[in-house]
Amino acid sequence: MALLPILQYPDPRLHKVAAPVQQVDERIRQLVRDMAQTMYEAPGVGLAATQVDVHERVVVIDISDEGNDLHVLINPEITWKSEDKQVYEEGCLSVPGVYDEVERAAKIHVRALNEQGEPFEFDAEGLLAVCVQHELDHLLGKVFVEYLSGLKQNRIRTRLRKQQREAERELDQV
Ligand code: NI
């Protein structure tokens, strides 16, 4: 297993659209293992392949406190969204230190493949519904801050670019 570097907003590669997985094989299972390890290590509750610069439709999610309830979603699709909405304060491993409220569907129905390439379906609500919608947005090249006002997005970009420059300078000095 390996920890994968996570792309940091505003990296343009976060806006690539992921392609469907053609075959769920050992390469994909290795990617899933690496993504899960990277998510748990961060720590985070979800990670999309886009965030580790792999542009295929793969997502891992674990919203449990114990970190023992891994959801692996390959080629996931939301097949139904409720009319009613919920607002959650979201964060993202690609946008460190930024948390803000996003409104999304309160309930969804999801179809995906598991690590064996077998189809499965489930209903999600609450935090799991938030996470699935957030991660599926990543696969479409969309980061949650794009739901915020233009002013907020500008501030976030400026702040993160500054942090990234400072981090690079520190590396240079080592
Ligand atoms: Ni995210």
Side-chain angles (χ1 to χ4, degrees):
M1 290 204 284
L3 285 181
L4 305 169
I6 299 174
L7 298 179
Q8 302 290 294
Y9 184 82
D11 192 310
R13 290 171 290 180
L14 285 169
H15 303 301
K16 286 190 185 178
V17 176
V21 171
Q22 295 300 327
Q23 198 182 352
V24 182
D25 54 13
E26 192 46 40
R27 180 184 68 90
I28 294 297
R29 284 188 280 273
Q30 185 63 51
L31 172 65
V32 165
R33 286 193 289 271
D34 291 344
M35 284 174 59
Q37 194 194 5
T38 303
M39 172 185 73
Y40 287 126
E41 183 74 22
V45 294
L47 189 68
T50 307
Q51 294 176 273
V52 294
D53 203 21
V54 175
H55 301 282
E56 295 177 74
R57 295 184 62 82
V58 178
V59 160
V60 294
I61 293 174
D62 189 340
I63 58 165
S64 71
D65 290 334
E66 301 81 12
N68 58 4
D69 188 24
L70 181 65
H71 296 253
V72 176
L73 308 182
I74 298 168
N75 292 347
E77 302 292 342
I78 294 170
T79 56
W80 175 82
K81 286 184 184 193
S82 65
E83 293 287 321
D84 41 306
K85 310 278 186 190
Q86 61 181 344
V87 175
Y88 248 87
E89 188 173 72
E90 297 187 18
C92 180
L93 294 176
S94 291
V95 197
V98 175
Y99 301 89
D100 215 320
E101 291 186 337
V102 177
E103 184 184 86
R104 300 186 188 269
K107 295 180 182 173
I108 56 174
H109 188 78
V110 185
R111 205 153 52 196
L113 302 177
N114 66 16
E115 289 164 279
Q116 276 67 50
E118 299 155 349
F120 68 103
E121 300 186 25
F122 61 99
D123 292 308
E125 58 185 337
L127 179 57
L128 183 58
V130 172
C131 277
V132 170
Q133 291 173 86
H134 176 118
E135 301 310 332
L136 265 62
D137 272 355
H138 275 302
L139 299 179
L140 296 173
K142 186 164 184 175
V143 180
F144 86 99
V145 295
E146 290 170 61
Y147 289 102
L148 309 178
S149 70
L151 181 66
K152 277 188 177 175
Q153 289 183 51
N154 279 334
R155 281 191 192 142
I156 291 166
R157 271 196 296 269
T158 304
R159 195 167 105 207
L160 288 177
R161 282 203 186 101
K162 185 162 169 271
Q163 282 173 10
Q164 286 157 18
R165 275 197 306 271
E166 282 166 1
E168 280 162 21
R169 252 201 308 275
E170 277 172 28
L171 278 179
D172 285 345
Q173 286 165 357
V174 170

